[in-house]
Amino acid sequence: MEKFVTLNASNLSSGSLLPIGFSSPCRKSAVSVQRRRVHVIRASIAVEQQAQTKVAVIRVGTRGSPLALAQAYETRAKLIASYPDLAEEGAIEIVIIKTTGDKILSQPLADIGGKGLFTKEIDEALINGDIDIAVHSMKDVPTYLPEKTILPCNLPREDVRDAFISLTAGSLAELPSGSTIGTASLRRKSQILHRYPSLNVLENFRGNVQTRLKKLNEGVVQATLLALAGLKRLNMTENVSSILSIEDMLPAVAQGAIGIACRNDDETMANYIAALNHEETRLAIVCERAFLTTLDGSCRTPIAGYACRGEDGDCIFKGLVASPDGTRVIETSRKGPYTSEDMIRMGEDAGQELLSKAGPGFFGN
């Protein structure tokens, strides 16, 4: 008997997408304000015992949150589309792995080891042969990869922008002075306080999307910011009050991107996931991670970076570093050919510029 995880997609959705300007984030678009009570989706995940006649061809490792599972099932669907034989029942097994980051919610990530805590146990399962591929949110992946693993595949990137969610206001600008915004992200905190110093930020506002929206409904905070990509993948965009432009809130490095890793000696799995790779997304992530690596970014460092293809086909990169209290924000931008070598160079050069401008002791670490 093998354990299989079945995601009940109907329980991940309580409405259709809103027509509120989901255009390319490289271009400005008007966003109509939608005010309504936030609907918290309580996703049900059923674990079923099913008799199997053969061992799974591909075991997919993932965290167990509704969003992580949605990403794993997106990966599964793309594998089946590329390799119809994998549609056979039991050919692809979803393996849920509990990570340290999921277990410890009472402390900031920086205090318990940083972003790698959302990937460490999954990487270990991959290296040990307990799973064949690992599906990660790329913004959770450290700038280094564990030995014996490679991450050659990125699925097409979702919308990179942040969504503003509130029961009482349509935007950050509409929040009364003294209002409290919940976020676990120093990147969001610093950019909010830089533009709206009269607002308060409740730190360590952690948990999955459903948990954060529940806290908002209970009045713990007056507003929160969430990645639009996750809300779209969960079919929960009816909760969005407005969408922040790239100019108002530069996204996290690799926000909206899904990465798929395998062992470096597993040619079979490397070939399977090669068919899923979206090269434009992969190159953008390479550029952004080169920027982050140069800055030696961590969960204690407010850093944002975004690379995309412009209308003329070139890469446009924007990056920033900030003081945690938002009193100082240093920005830069680059433009150049949309090729791996050039984009890595752009990311590294932008990082070096910001390091030089920030000076020693800027981050207080």
Side-chain angles (χ1 to χ4, degrees):
M1 303 289 282
E2 298 284 346
K3 280 191 177 181
F4 286 84
V5 179
T6 302
L7 184 65
N8 187 338
S10 64
N11 288 331
L12 291 179
S13 171
S14 66
S16 58
L17 297 180
L18 290 180
I20 52 177
F22 295 151
S23 60
S24 169
C26 283
R27 302 175 179 85
K28 294 182 180 178
S29 60
V31 178
S32 60
V33 174
Q34 303 289 333
R35 298 188 184 183
R36 53 176 57 78
R37 181 166 179 77
V38 168
H39 299 289
V40 180
I41 311 300
R42 301 186 184 281
S44 68
I45 301 167
V47 179
E48 301 176 355
Q49 297 285 342
Q50 298 182 4
Q52 292 301 304
T53 58
K54 66 173 188 175
V55 176
V57 176
I58 302 177
R59 296 163 298 168
V60 181
T62 177
R63 294 166 59 199
S65 72
L67 177 56
L69 284 169
Q71 294 178 166
Y73 274 81
E74 180 180 341
T75 301
R76 179 182 182 274
K78 290 183 180 297
L79 282 168
I80 290 172
S82 296
Y83 302 96
D85 289 349
L86 294 177
E88 184 178 345
E89 185 175 359
I92 300 177
E93 180 184 357
I94 305 296
V95 180
I96 295 175
I97 299 169
K98 193 86 168 179
T99 69
T100 303
D102 296 313
K103 296 173 185 175
I104 305 175
L105 297 176
S106 59
Q107 298 172 262
L109 288 176
D111 292 347
I112 57 174
K115 288 184 178 181
L117 294 180
F118 285 121
T119 59
K120 181 175 180 288
E121 284 83 357
I122 299 175
D123 289 333
E124 289 174 349
L126 180 61
I127 293 168
N128 293 335
D130 298 323
I131 58 175
D132 301 303
I133 64 174
V135 178
H136 298 301
S137 291
M138 280 304 300
K139 71 176 182 178
D140 290 337
V141 178
T143 52
Y144 60 88
L145 294 177
E147 290 186 19
K148 301 182 181 179
T149 71
I150 55 173
L151 204 162
C153 173
N154 289 121
L155 301 186
R157 197 173 198 174
E158 249 296 356
D159 198 315
V160 303
R161 294 174 293 178
D162 283 318
F164 173 81
I165 304 176
S166 174
L167 307 180
T168 58
S171 67
L172 281 167
E174 291 182 17
L175 284 172
S177 177
S179 297
T180 300
I181 303 173
T183 180
S185 164
L186 281 181
R187 170 190 66 86
R188 290 178 177 134
K189 174 188 174 182
S190 61
Q191 292 185 77
I192 291 170
L193 294 179
H194 182 67
R195 290 179 173 82
Y196 304 99
S198 67
L199 298 177
N200 298 317
V201 175
L202 176 63
E203 297 183 45
N204 199 36
F205 193 73
R206 293 184 55 207
N208 62 34
V209 171
Q210 289 78 7
T211 298
R212 297 188 204 191
L213 295 183
K214 181 174 182 290
K215 291 178 181 179
L216 177 62
N217 274 330
E218 292 171 348
V220 176
V221 294
Q222 283 72 61
T224 189
L225 299 182
L226 294 172
L228 182 58
L231 295 170
K232 291 181 75 171
R233 288 184 174 120
L234 288 170
N235 213 10
M236 292 173 64
T237 53
E238 74 278 5
N239 295 308
V240 176
S241 301
S242 61
I243 302 171
L244 282 73
S245 69
I246 297 297
E247 290 73 22
D248 288 336
M249 180 64 64
L250 198 62
V253 164
Q255 184 156 305
I258 296 171
I260 307 176
C262 66
R263 289 180 294 279
N264 60 8
D265 61 352
D266 194 336
E267 186 177 347
T268 300
M269 290 303 140
N271 288 335
Y272 271 129
I273 63 179
L276 277 56
N277 181 55
H278 187 253
E279 188 64 3
E280 181 175 324
T281 296
R282 191 188 71 81
L283 291 179
I285 302 307
V286 164
C287 178
E288 294 168 22
R289 283 168 63 82
F291 171 71
L292 186 63
T293 301
T294 302
L295 291 170
D296 193 24
S298 72
C299 287
R300 296 185 184 277
T301 311
I303 296 172
Y306 175 50
C308 69
R309 190 189 290 274
E311 292 182 357
D312 60 1
D314 279 349
C315 173
I316 299 171
F317 175 79
K318 297 180 179 180
L320 70 76
V321 294
S323 58
D325 62 3
T327 55
R328 196 175 166 209
V329 172
I330 309 171
E331 302 176 84
T332 190
S333 63
R334 293 288 187 282
K335 183 177 180 180
Y338 210 98
T339 65
S340 180
E341 184 177 331
D342 289 293
M343 292 168 72
I344 290 173
R345 188 182 301 115
M346 276 192 282
E348 292 174 342
D349 186 60
Q352 289 293 346
E353 179 192 342
L354 294 190
L355 281 175
S356 176
K357 287 183 176 179
F362 176 74
F363 300 112
N365 294 336

